[in-house]
Amino acid sequence: MVKSPVVTGISPKEGPPGTRVTIRGEFLGNKSTDLVGLTICGCDCLLSAEWKSDKKIIARTGAAKGKGDIIVSTRNGGTGTSTVQFRAYYETIGPMKESAVWIEESPMQSLAWGRRSLAPTGYTQEDPLGLSNEGNEKKFPEDLRDLFPDGSGDLSQENFMPGWFLLENHHATSFEDLKAGLSYLRRRVESQKEGQLSFLKSNAGSVIDQLDTLMTLRDRITQDNRVHGKEPVAKLDKGIHGSIDASHELFKDVLVRKEKADATRAALSAMSRHKFLFCLPNTVEKAATKNEFDIVVNDYARVKNLFGKTDVPIFRKVLEEVDIKILGIRHQLHGKIKEMPQGVDQQKRMIKALISLEAQQAGTSVAGKLKVDDPAWDAIDARAKYLEETFLKAYEQYSEKETHGNESKSRIDPTVTPMRVQFCEEMTEIAASQFPDLWRLGQAYFTGELRGAAQPKPGNFKRIILTAIEQFCSYLRSALLSSSGAHRSLATVAAPKGLPSWPSVNPSLNFLITWLPHCLRYVRVSYATLIRLDLPNEALDIVMKLIDELRLYCLSTILRKANERVKKLHERETWELTVTEFAGATSLPGKLREILVEAIDDAQAACLTPEVRESTLLEPQSDGQRELSKRFQDILGSFCTVLETLALQRSDEDPQQAPMLSQLIGFPGTLLLQQQQQHLGTEEDKRGSNASITWEQRLLCCLSNCIYCNRHFFPQLGDLFTRHNFPVPTLAIENSRSTVNALFGTLLDMYVEHKSDPLVGTIEPSMYLGRFQWDQVAPSEKLSPYAHECLDNLVSVYSEIFAVSPFLLRPILEPIVQTVAEELARLMTCVQKFNVNGALQARVDINVIRDAVRVYSNETAKSFFVEALETIPAVPESEARIMEAVKTIKNNIRLQIMCLQVVDP
């Protein structure tokens, strides 16, 4: 910190105006230009000041009077203090005494100057007290001018003071002598009051001397008249004038040269003393060329302080030239503050210099030639336009590169940064580097640091800030969000007004997954920079909206990528029954869980974790929650589609219909086994490890997956969201459960139809094999062949289902049993005539079949069995025989019945 100057000594300590003094002290400046003020006893002495060092200054005193301080002012230290004083006084100056200031002539001096004194030069005035000076030769020890600042000890002066006279001439005289001197002075005064006669008597000698002098003067005049005539004065005057003319002629050239030399010396002396003023035009011009505008302002302020009110023509002329130079510098400054790019500190210095120069030049003849309403506002407007142009230039540059196909390089080489990502990095860097300068410049303007005479414009500055931020966000939206058709539902995205939209190159999901979080991080860095500037919430909310849209887009992209992976799960199905808690379910739901966990973790790291001033993206009833629910439902829907695809995926070798499992009508089991082995061998060549899985088994696995997802897996997915403190998409889960339930019904009908049609189709041919007729039945205690075959086929279907998933037994066997019961009821109804043995055999067959499938018979199936029995004619007293036959047959086929009696889990 620069210290204030302090004056500690001055030599001499007193003197009249014009005294050359040496001032000593500390912190008096580091160079001559640092000295900006010097006053001695209240009088400005800067013009005569000569700076020697930081501890010494030489100057001449001004027309001051009395004691006063010596105050030194420097450029950096300000106004200083003084520990000593200087006493200024006026001397009694005669006409031949040199003086640095003009002294008014008194009447007595004018009289003395206008005539030749006849008194001898050594005349001393008589003491008015009539006392001797013996003992008073020694000077009075104190300075009488301090005791009598407005008085004098000279009897001839108007401000004569007796005290001064007595102390100066009789300070050692005794009191008795002074009383005697007073009596003498009174007597003299009384004697002057007497009449003319007494005056003549007392001055008779003097009167006689005067008469003698007059007689002598008369004789001399008479003698001169005789010798020189009666008009000697005319001849004398002529002679004097002739002598003057001769002397002038003789010394004319010398005097002219002397006058020129004196004028030259005076001019050189004036130029030397006022060199600062005369050199100022060139000085300020050189300083302006070097951009040292602080020096220009200080020098101009100094010259206006020293010579602003001067009436000297040459000084006025130089000042006018300086004003013209300053006017040109103001023009130059006004242009420079609008030049971009440049640092905000440099811009602020130039604005301050321009405001200072404009204020100092007010009231001059050139003041109205340059009218700058508000230089600080012009600088703000120029910086805002430059920021806008920089945004536009970057947008056009990178969009043109992408139009020319540079984006394809990044698709081929993943290490190459795409154009839209480079554009995002460039834009965020521009915003983080230039926007703070615009904001700080505006704050300096509104706090008064850069304000001139014009009134501030807060509304316009707010509009500039909001416009700049809106443009920044619009450009980024156009580049990052406009090209994705999948995201158009999230936000309305359009190119900035007047600009072509970003080239419509749809980025791949791999591109979005890789680079979109990267772009989001860059935008967040810019947002953090804006937060540190303490911008108003209205401005920050604009960027916050862009960040929320990017976060939402990032979330949507991650979930879309997960959806794409889910759609390809059918390629990863191995048909391994790895779910221990639900028999028949494959590893497919577990793979879906892995994809969802990975997607949620990626979303958590990339966009779901809020940063400074960011809100939670998945707030209730928010766009984020709706997007999450929609995308999650799409993923589960895709999974259901995968299940359906796997269930319906059949090769040419897969049988379009189940073979008729009937040994009675020509389809023995050995032939069926050979057909299955042929199918398995063909599938093994095509699908490798999946060759042992038939289409019926795959269909059963898909049915098991549907039940597992509906009952267990889909409800458990809510735990994934709860674990990350995310809202559970309940609606999406319930809709997906409905979808998978509907898919289950469709696939179940398909499997039931696939199995029941061949099974039911074998009943009638097997029943009437060999031209069998119910009215020609012989007595028998065995089960009919068609009933045996029907039960064997049901056991076969049961075993196929049980091998995959016991949970599917009841859903599949119930409709098949119902179909079998319906077919038996139809066949019994179509029989035209039963004999007694035929009626007994039919009742035994129906009862055995009904009892064997009782576990999987629904009410409809039971009603069909009842209908079949009611159709058969009753045989009197046959109930016991029928029950005995049924019991015997059931004992013989107890293995089949035991299989069909196992209840599903």
Side-chain angles (χ1 to χ4, degrees):
M1 180 178 179
V2 180
K3 296 184 178 180
S4 301
V6 179
V7 176
T8 59
I10 185 170
S11 178
K13 294 185 177 180
E14 60 181 11
T19 301
R20 188 172 185 267
V21 295
T22 301
I23 302 171
R24 299 187 182 276
E26 296 179 350
F27 314 115
L28 303 181
N30 297 324
K31 53 185 177 180
S32 59
T33 56
D34 288 345
L35 183 63
V36 297
L38 174 62
T39 58
I40 302 176
C41 297
C43 183
D44 192 355
C45 303
L46 182 61
L47 288 177
S48 63
E50 182 180 357
W51 184 86
K52 293 296 184 181
S53 67
D54 61 340
K55 296 182 179 180
K56 180 179 179 182
I57 297 175
I58 296 177
R60 288 187 178 273
T61 61
K65 190 174 182 181
K67 280 190 175 182
D69 294 332
I70 302 94
I71 304 300
V72 177
S73 299
T74 61
R75 177 175 299 168
N76 297 324
T79 302
T81 58
S82 174
T83 60
V84 297
Q85 289 186 324
F86 180 81
R87 191 178 66 80
Y89 61 86
Y90 282 105
E91 290 183 327
T92 302
I93 301 174
M96 301 304 292
K97 178 70 175 179
E98 294 183 358
S99 175
V101 296
W102 179 258
I103 303 299
E104 295 292 339
E105 296 180 354
S106 64
M108 294 183 62
Q109 289 173 330
S110 300
L111 180 61
W113 182 258
R115 61 178 176 81
R116 188 185 300 271
S117 175
L118 299 179
T121 56
Y123 173 75
T124 57
Q125 189 178 23
E126 182 182 1
D127 188 88
L129 299 178
L131 299 176
S132 173
N133 288 333
E134 292 185 20
N136 294 291
E137 293 83 1
K138 188 176 181 181
K139 187 177 180 182
F140 191 71
E142 297 185 15
D143 192 347
L144 296 177
R145 281 174 290 198
D146 293 339
L147 300 176
F148 307 98
D150 298 327
S152 174
D154 191 354
L155 292 170
S156 61
Q157 297 294 325
E158 295 180 357
N159 58 345
F160 169 76
M161 299 187 72
W164 186 324
F165 178 80
L166 292 175
L167 291 173
E168 184 179 19
N169 297 287
H170 299 288
H171 59 276
T173 305
S174 64
F175 183 68
E176 296 297 331
D177 291 339
L178 289 176
K179 290 172 61 178
L182 178 60
S183 300
Y184 171 75
L185 181 59
R186 288 176 176 172
R187 287 195 301 272
R188 291 190 59 184
V189 173
E190 292 296 333
S191 63
Q192 291 179 2
K193 294 181 181 179
E194 298 177 359
Q196 296 181 355
L197 181 59
S198 61
F199 176 76
L200 291 175
K201 288 180 179 181
S202 60
N203 295 284
S206 298
V207 173
I208 293 173
D209 290 339
Q210 293 172 1
L211 290 174
D212 290 340
T213 300
L214 290 173
M215 293 297 292
T216 303
L217 181 59
R218 187 192 67 180
D219 293 341
R220 292 291 299 273
I221 290 175
T222 302
Q223 183 180 356
D224 288 340
N225 287 338
R226 286 197 298 269
V227 177
H228 300 287
K230 294 183 178 181
E231 297 293 337
V233 178
K235 293 182 180 181
L236 181 60
D237 181 66
K238 183 178 180 181
I240 291 173
H241 282 87
S243 299
I244 292 173
D245 293 339
S247 63
H248 284 176
E249 188 66 27
L250 180 63
F251 294 102
K252 181 177 180 181
D253 295 337
V254 177
L255 293 175
V256 170
R257 289 197 297 272
K258 180 178 180 300
E259 291 177 357
K260 289 183 178 181
D262 291 341
T264 302
R265 281 193 296 272
L268 291 175
S269 177
M271 290 182 65
S272 178
R273 292 185 61 186
H274 306 293
K275 179 174 65 175
F276 167 74
L277 173 63
F278 292 108
C279 296
L280 188 59
N282 291 331
T283 301
V284 296
E285 188 173 4
K286 291 179 180 179
T289 305
K290 298 178 182 179
N291 291 331
E292 296 176 348
F293 297 105
D294 293 340
I295 297 178
V296 175
V297 172
N298 293 334
D299 289 348
Y300 188 63
R302 181 180 176 189
V303 78
K304 292 292 288 185
N305 184 36
L306 296 176
F307 301 99
K309 298 181 180 180
T310 184
D311 294 329
V312 179
I314 185 63
F315 290 172
R316 299 301 305 172
K317 185 175 181 180
V318 175
L319 280 177
E320 291 177 359
E321 183 179 355
V322 172
D323 288 337
I324 294 174
K325 293 288 185 181
I326 294 298
L327 182 64
I329 293 173
R330 287 173 57 196
H331 278 286
Q332 179 184 354
L333 273 174
H334 191 254
K336 281 183 174 292
I337 62 175
K338 296 189 289 186
E339 292 179 359
M340 291 294 166
Q342 63 174 317
V344 66
D345 293 332
Q346 180 181 358
Q347 202 173 20
K348 288 168 66 175
R349 285 195 298 269
M350 290 191 292
I351 293 172
K352 291 178 181 179
L354 182 58
I355 293 175
S356 299
L357 292 176
E358 182 178 2
Q360 294 171 11
Q361 210 169 28
T364 61
S365 58
V366 299
K369 294 184 179 180
L370 177 63
K371 184 62 176 177
V372 180
D373 293 335
D374 200 342
W377 181 255
D378 293 342
I380 293 174
D381 187 61
R383 185 167 288 277
K385 290 181 179 178
Y386 175 71
L387 180 60
E388 179 180 351
E389 292 172 358
T390 306
F391 285 158
L392 176 60
K393 183 178 179 181
Y395 181 84
E396 293 177 344
Q397 175 184 354
Y398 286 97
S399 62
E400 183 178 1
K401 287 182 179 179
E402 182 156 329
T403 303
H404 291 165
N406 290 354
E407 187 69 17
S408 60
K409 297 180 180 179
S410 62
R411 293 174 178 265
I412 299 174
D413 187 1
T415 61
V416 177
T417 305
M419 285 297 106
R420 65 183 73 226
V421 177
Q422 295 183 26
F423 170 71
C424 178
E425 295 175 356
E426 180 73 15
M427 288 291 288
T428 53
E429 183 177 353
I430 292 172
S433 60
Q434 295 188 20
F435 194 84
D437 292 342
L438 175 62
W439 178 255
R440 287 197 294 268
L441 190 63
Q443 293 303 300
Y445 171 69
F446 286 105
T447 55
E449 180 181 356
L450 303 178
R451 191 186 307 167
Q455 293 297 323
K457 307 173 182 178
N460 294 342
F461 182 69
K462 179 181 180 181
R463 175 183 52 80
I464 287 176
I465 294 297
L466 295 180
T467 301
I469 294 181
E470 287 174 352
Q471 289 180 342
F472 168 72
C473 296
S474 297
Y475 286 125
L476 289 180
R477 279 195 187 93
S478 179
L480 299 178
L481 303 180
S482 64
S483 58
S484 176
H487 187 63
R488 293 187 184 276
S489 61
L490 299 180
T492 303
V493 181
K497 187 176 181 180
L499 284 179
S501 60
W502 192 271
S504 57
V505 179
N506 290 330
S508 64
L509 286 177
N510 291 331
F511 161 81
L512 295 175
I513 291 293
T514 305
W515 295 106
L516 195 58
H518 176 79
C519 296
L520 178 60
R521 285 195 298 271
Y522 269 84
V523 177
R524 278 173 163 171
V525 170
S526 299
Y527 183 59
T529 302
L530 299 181
I531 290 177
R532 288 194 293 270
L533 296 178
D534 197 18
L535 291 175
N537 292 334
E538 185 177 357
L540 294 176
D541 290 343
I542 298 175
V543 187
M544 187 70 259
K545 182 180 179 182
L546 172 63
I547 292 177
D548 288 343
E549 292 176 3
L550 287 175
R551 293 171 64 195
L552 190 58
Y553 189 23
C554 188
L555 173 63
S556 175
T557 302
I558 293 173
L559 296 179
R560 285 164 54 201
K561 178 63 177 178
N563 192 17
E564 293 296 323
R565 294 176 60 190
V566 170
K567 290 179 180 179
K568 298 178 181 179
L569 279 179
H570 65 279
E571 300 175 358
R572 300 172 54 190
E573 178 60 277
T574 60
W575 304 105
E576 296 178 1
L577 306 182
T578 58
V579 181
T580 59
E581 64 268 23
F582 193 90
T586 66
S587 60
L588 198 64
K591 295 175 181 178
L592 172 62
R593 180 188 294 273
E594 293 175 0
I595 294 175
L596 289 176
V597 170
E598 183 178 349
I600 291 176
D601 290 340
D602 292 343
Q604 177 75 18
C607 58
L608 293 182
T609 303
E611 295 190 0
V612 181
R613 206 179 173 272
E614 294 180 2
S615 59
T616 303
L617 190 62
L618 301 179
E619 292 180 351
Q621 305 301 322
S622 64
D623 292 338
Q625 185 177 12
R626 286 190 288 270
E627 181 68 14
L628 175 64
S629 179
K630 178 179 180 300
R631 295 299 175 188
F632 184 67
Q633 185 170 345
D634 291 344
I635 291 174
L636 297 184
S638 299
F639 181 74
C640 294
T641 303
V642 169
L643 291 178
E644 184 178 6
T645 302
L646 290 172
L648 301 179
Q649 186 177 8
R650 302 171 66 177
S651 63
D652 296 337
E653 287 75 13
D654 287 326
Q656 300 301 315
Q657 188 175 9
M660 296 178 64
L661 304 179
S662 176
Q663 298 183 16
L664 301 176
I665 58 176
F667 287 90
T670 56
L671 180 60
L672 174 62
L673 181 61
Q674 292 176 359
Q675 292 177 351
Q676 290 179 348
Q677 289 177 351
Q678 290 176 358
H679 289 306
L680 291 177
T682 305
E683 289 300 317
E684 185 175 359
D685 295 337
K686 291 187 176 182
R687 292 180 303 212
S689 62
N690 295 335
S692 61
I693 303 298
T694 64
W695 175 76
E696 289 87 352
Q697 291 173 332
R698 295 198 300 270
L699 187 58
L700 290 173
C701 290
C702 291
L703 287 170
S704 299
N705 284 334
C706 290
I707 297 179
Y708 173 64
C709 291
N710 183 35
R711 295 181 182 178
H712 305 284
F713 180 69
F714 283 174
Q716 291 173 1
L717 289 180
D719 297 338
L720 295 177
F721 297 89
T722 305
R723 189 181 310 139
H724 291 81
N725 296 323
F726 296 160
V728 179
T730 306
L731 181 61
I733 293 176
E734 293 301 324
N735 291 338
S736 300
R737 291 183 65 185
S738 300
T739 302
V740 77
N741 194 35
L743 177 62
F744 173 79
T746 302
L747 298 180
L748 180 65
D749 292 342
M750 181 185 301
Y751 185 83
V752 169
E753 182 180 0
H754 179 75
K755 288 296 184 180
S756 62
D757 287 351
L759 189 149
V760 173
T762 62
I763 296 177
E764 185 175 3
S766 299
M767 180 183 294
Y768 294 103
L769 184 66
R771 297 182 179 181
F772 173 80
Q773 296 295 328
W774 287 102
D775 58 351
Q776 299 178 0
V777 177
S780 175
E781 294 182 357
K782 297 181 180 179
L783 189 66
S784 299
Y786 78 90
H788 263 294
E789 186 178 56
C790 181
L791 290 178
D792 289 342
N793 287 339
L794 286 175
V795 170
S796 176
V797 173
Y798 176 92
S799 63
E800 182 179 341
I801 299 172
F802 187 83
V804 176
S805 176
F807 294 98
L808 296 175
L809 289 173
R810 184 173 297 278
I812 296 177
L813 288 180
E814 279 189 359
I816 293 178
V817 169
Q818 178 181 334
T819 305
V820 170
E822 183 181 4
E823 179 66 12
L824 290 175
R826 185 187 69 80
L827 290 176
M828 293 298 106
T829 305
C830 294
V831 176
Q832 296 181 355
K833 184 180 180 182
F834 288 93
N835 61 8
V836 174
N837 294 329
L840 291 175
Q841 185 66 43
R843 283 186 175 275
V844 170
D845 294 341
I846 298 301
N847 282 313
V848 170
I849 294 175
R850 182 185 64 178
D851 293 343
V853 297
R854 186 181 302 276
V855 175
Y856 298 102
S857 299
N858 54 24
E859 295 300 325
T860 305
K862 292 178 181 179
S863 64
F864 281 127
F865 282 122
V866 171
E867 180 181 351
L869 291 174
E870 291 177 351
T871 304
I872 302 173
V875 178
E877 299 179 358
S878 61
E879 292 297 326
R881 293 175 56 190
I882 294 174
M883 296 301 296
E884 184 65 24
V886 169
K887 183 178 180 181
T888 302
I889 293 173
K890 289 172 63 176
N891 185 48
N892 294 333
I893 62 170
R894 60 183 177 274
L895 292 179
Q896 291 92 329
I897 294 177
M898 287 175 61
C899 291
L900 295 175
Q901 295 303 315
V902 177
V903 184
D904 59 314

